[in-house]
Amino acid sequence: MDINQNLPEKELLCQLHHGDIQAFDILYHRYSQIIYANILKFLKNETSAEDLLQDVFLRIWENRSKIDPEQSFAAFLFTCSRNITFNFKRRLKLEMESEVQLAYGALESENTIDKVLDSKEAMVLVEDLLSRLPTQRQKIFRLSKLEGKSYKEIAEEMDISIATVRDHIVKANKFIRHGALQDNGFSALLMILLLHAAN
């Protein structure tokens, strides 16, 4: 049975607490734009802001049983998004500092970074990591990152919910970044740059 879009927030949170995906979608549409704008204000990067927005709502879904319907959901969202954004900026800063050190070391020897960028090995790694994803997740990731389709377009094409698309994209991103980090020939930052360039 469809949930009324105009239900009070407290009732929606109670439904969310019991795992109702439609209640989650309604809350997402109510708050996603303002949370996205808040994240973008700190990051100044639309792609990263969109990725972190998905991380915020994935965290909401995973911790839905802990959300108190009596408390302000907006305040909870802002706190969650702020923490995720600050953690992202801290990790990125550390990664960039590490990349600078690695790049200087490589340039002193044989320009390893340039060779990686000039070769096709980076995309071979991307394809290898993609091939390890479940079939549906792989297809959704390709449609989003490689073909540039919106979550809504993908949801309509595959006859699934936007929340399902969002969940697959977030999990695929995390898997690929983790895989890049484990590969001795490529850095996490390089892989992130490649994925962003594919958008």
Side-chain angles (χ1 to χ4, degrees):
M1 183 175 179
D2 288 342
I3 295 178
N4 188 327
Q5 297 277 340
N6 298 316
L7 274 179
E9 182 177 281
K10 182 178 177 180
E11 292 185 41
L12 286 171
L13 291 174
C14 288
Q15 295 287 344
L16 175 65
H17 183 88
H18 292 95
D20 193 304
I21 192 67
Q22 192 178 359
F24 175 80
D25 270 340
I26 292 172
L27 289 166
Y28 176 85
H29 287 296
R30 282 188 186 181
Y31 288 102
S32 59
Q33 288 301 315
I34 190 170
I35 296 300
Y36 170 80
N38 191 55
I39 294 173
L40 185 61
K41 181 175 65 176
F42 287 104
L43 295 184
K44 312 298 184 185
N45 182 289
E46 294 181 357
T47 302
S48 295
E50 177 63 31
D51 285 344
L52 291 193
L53 175 68
Q54 310 316 318
D55 284 348
V56 169
F57 278 91
L58 178 60
R59 186 80 58 85
I60 294 301
W61 177 255
E62 291 174 342
N63 294 280
R64 59 191 180 277
S65 62
K66 301 175 184 177
I67 296 174
D68 185 354
E70 300 295 335
Q71 301 298 317
S72 169
F73 184 59
F76 182 81
L77 272 177
F78 275 106
T79 299
C80 183
S81 64
R82 182 191 61 195
N83 292 340
I84 287 177
T85 301
F86 286 170
N87 287 338
F88 173 81
K89 291 182 71 174
R90 184 163 51 246
R91 289 197 309 271
L92 187 60
K93 181 176 183 291
L94 291 173
E95 287 173 356
M96 291 180 69
E97 289 174 348
S98 177
E99 287 308 310
V100 169
Q101 294 176 358
L102 288 174
Y104 274 118
L107 287 171
E108 289 175 359
S109 55
E110 52 181 321
N111 289 328
T112 304
I113 301 296
D114 287 339
K115 288 187 176 182
V116 169
L117 288 171
D118 290 339
S119 73
K120 294 182 179 179
E121 292 178 33
M123 291 314 299
V124 169
L125 174 60
V126 174
E127 288 297 330
D128 177 61
L129 290 170
L130 280 176
S131 70
R132 301 181 207 172
L133 293 172
T135 303
Q136 186 181 42
R137 187 166 301 161
Q138 181 180 154
K139 181 176 181 180
I140 290 171
F141 184 89
R142 289 181 183 280
L143 289 172
S144 173
K145 295 292 185 179
L146 304 183
E147 297 185 25
K149 294 190 176 182
S150 68
Y151 289 177
K152 182 179 180 181
E153 289 172 331
I154 297 171
E156 291 175 351
E157 179 175 331
M158 299 187 67
D159 194 26
I160 55 179
S161 71
I162 292 177
T164 298
V165 173
R166 181 186 313 121
D167 181 58
H168 278 293
I169 292 294
V170 170
K171 289 178 179 176
N173 277 337
K174 289 183 177 178
F175 174 81
I176 290 174
R177 287 170 184 167
H178 177 75
L181 187 62
Q182 300 306 309
D183 190 285
N184 292 327
F186 299 90
S187 69
L189 183 58
L190 174 58
M191 179 58 65
I192 291 170
L193 291 173
L194 285 168
L195 290 178
H196 285 179
N199 276 329

